[in-house]
Amino acid sequence: MFLFLVVALAVVVAAVTLAVVGGGENGPLPEAVPDRLTDSLPLDRPVGRADVDGLRIPLAARGYRMADVDDALSRLGAELAERDARIADLESALAGARAVAAHISMEKPAAHPEGEQP
């Protein structure tokens, strides 16, 4: 029985080896083409939530391709920095407008009801 199992194992290993090396009908296995980031973040408009949700970074031998991850993160970082600067500018403008409105409302004389003399 032991000899039968050894022979069967040898036959299975030989069959798998021949299939991988090229002994099968279609020849050897084709070369694997490395994955590349095909649908990167848009360059012609700001990055949106749907762009980030749809971003799929391809796998490499040991995880993700560092160049693709670095490119995506640097683009997202630049977009966030630009939006933070824009938000700060708008908040500053809003605070200035509120201060001017408060100053103008303090200078206006109080409206008197009709029929009363000041």
Side-chain angles (χ1 to χ4, degrees):
M1 183 69 174
F2 178 74
L3 183 60
F4 175 74
L5 289 176
V6 170
V7 171
L9 180 63
V11 169
V12 169
V13 169
V16 170
T17 302
L18 285 175
V20 170
V21 173
E25 296 174 5
N26 298 331
L29 294 175
E31 288 293 322
V33 179
D35 287 338
R36 297 288 180 192
L37 187 62
T38 56
D39 191 19
S40 62
L41 298 174
L43 298 175
D44 58 339
R45 61 180 172 78
V47 176
R49 171 74 187 249
D51 298 321
V52 175
D53 288 343
L55 182 65
R56 296 292 174 258
I57 299 174
L59 293 174
R62 294 184 180 169
Y64 293 102
R65 294 190 67 240
M66 277 195 328
D68 290 337
V69 174
D70 290 344
D71 290 345
L73 289 177
S74 66
R75 174 69 193 277
L76 290 173
E79 291 276 338
L80 289 174
E82 182 179 326
R83 288 180 186 176
D84 288 346
R86 178 77 175 138
I87 289 170
D89 289 344
L90 292 173
E91 286 177 344
S92 174
L94 179 62
R98 284 182 177 164
V100 168
H103 181 71
I104 290 174
S105 68
M106 291 175 123
E107 288 181 354
K108 277 186 178 178
H112 297 290
E114 288 183 26
E116 286 186 19
Q117 295 293 328

